[in-house]
Amino acid sequence: MAIHIKTQEQIEKMKVAGAILARLDEILKREIKVGVTTKQLDAIAEDYIRSQGAIPSFKGYGGFPGSICTSVNDEIVHGIPSDRKLKQGDIISIDMGSYIGGFHGDAARTYAVGEIAPGAQKLIDVTKQSFFEGIQYARQGCRLNEIGTAIQKYVEKNGFSVVRDYVGHGIGRKLHEDPSVANYKEQRKGVTLKQGMVLAIEPMVNMGSYQLKVLKDGWTAVTKDGLYAAHYENTVVITNGEPEILTLLP
């Protein structure tokens, strides 16, 4: 395992990539409404990322056709932008990445489309809060497994399940670097966190079972039971104190 410790200069570059995504989140909040297609959202995101002098990290990554991942309702992650129109009561998870100055930023959010069912709103809220439960342990001297253990405990306490097949990751010059960051308790304690590590921490939470299947497109992961899923992710720097989140507006 090769974990790249970032210098302060490199972290400053990653802050630029992260800030683009934080601002994109604000744009998407306004654009996500009944009748918009996921392909239109993809175009909005790509235009904005490029307008900032950055490149969408996901475009062409492993052959992925979109600039963002657009996962609706029972789609957990890696949904491909299409002509699908969003409907009242839908939820949509958007995973977004930007690459600028030699470094990546990565973030994900789940948004409501119009008025949604209380259970769907609870799923979104619990998924987001589970991230903040986890990053209480994203600090120097903690073990990596403490992050996932805290996420899983909070999610299951609220009656939902944590996806096992996809996990968070280190991030920097490459979109995916060591270490893997599970959102659940593993047998091993994992590495000891050190100042200068940068992690993309991203709980994916299902309303029912954590089991999933990948559709014939080879990308889109959906819940096996057809129930809703949500996703929340930020790029996080391990410091000698509180973790620093690069993909949220100050």
Side-chain angles (χ1 to χ4, degrees):
M1 187 185 296
I3 297 175
H4 299 286
I5 302 293
K6 305 326 187 263
T7 65
Q8 193 53 47
E9 183 184 2
Q10 290 171 333
I11 290 167
E12 292 304 318
K13 290 181 178 180
M14 294 191 74
K15 283 181 183 176
V16 177
I20 291 168
L21 300 179
R23 294 192 298 269
L24 177 57
D25 169 40
E26 295 299 312
I27 293 166
L28 291 171
K29 278 178 192 165
R30 295 193 297 270
E31 298 292 342
I32 289 168
K33 57 188 84 158
V34 174
V36 73
T37 69
T38 57
K39 197 179 269 184
Q40 285 172 317
L41 295 173
D42 184 70
I44 289 163
E46 179 169 5
D47 287 350
Y48 181 72
I49 291 168
R50 292 190 186 279
S51 78
Q52 302 303 297
I55 295 167
S57 298
F58 301 165
K59 186 94 171 189
Y61 185 78
F64 188 76
S67 292
I68 54 174
C69 301
T70 54
S71 306
V72 181
N73 296 339
D74 65 333
E75 296 172 352
I76 301 166
V77 71
H78 302 154
I80 298 172
S82 70
D83 292 323
R84 177 179 187 165
K85 289 183 177 177
L86 296 181
K87 302 192 302 292
Q88 178 77 26
D90 285 345
I91 66 172
I92 178 169
S93 298
I94 294 186
D95 198 351
M96 45 191 143
S98 65
Y99 179 73
I100 187 169
F103 289 87
H104 292 274
D106 194 359
R109 305 282 186 268
T110 302
Y111 305 89
V113 182
E115 291 290 318
I116 63 171
Q121 187 61 55
K122 183 184 177 187
L123 175 68
I124 293 172
D125 294 343
V126 167
T127 304
K128 178 177 178 179
Q129 184 57 33
S130 75
F131 165 86
F132 290 100
E133 298 293 322
I135 66 160
Q136 291 179 48
Y137 301 94
R139 52 181 65 232
Q140 184 162 260
C142 287
R143 301 297 283 262
L144 188 62
N145 193 34
E146 292 180 87
I147 297 173
T149 301
I151 290 170
Q152 180 182 11
K153 186 177 176 184
Y154 182 78
V155 167
E156 292 180 353
K157 185 178 80 176
N158 281 280
F160 300 131
S161 65
V162 174
V163 168
R164 306 294 201 274
D165 299 61
Y166 298 97
V167 296
H169 50 91
I171 184 170
R173 291 189 185 280
K174 292 182 179 173
L175 183 59
H176 293 98
E177 296 183 352
D178 287 332
S180 293
V181 185
N183 299 305
Y184 52 89
K185 184 177 182 178
E186 293 189 294
Q187 293 303 315
R188 61 185 189 276
K189 290 180 180 176
V191 298
T192 300
L193 300 177
K194 295 189 174 83
Q195 184 176 354
M197 287 183 180
V198 185
L199 307 175
I201 300 172
E202 51 176 324
M204 285 160 257
V205 177
N206 294 352
M207 199 173 257
S209 160
Y210 64 74
Q211 293 183 309
L212 58 81
K213 60 185 178 182
V214 177
L215 299 183
K216 287 186 179 139
D217 63 24
W219 284 102
T220 312
V222 301
T223 59
K224 233 175 192 176
D225 55 19
L227 297 178
Y228 281 11
H231 187 187
Y232 187 84
E233 174 185 22
N234 284 303
T235 301
V236 179
V237 181
I238 308 300
T239 73
N240 59 5
E242 292 289 319
E244 187 173 6
I245 303 174
L246 303 187
T247 43
L248 280 178
L249 291 174

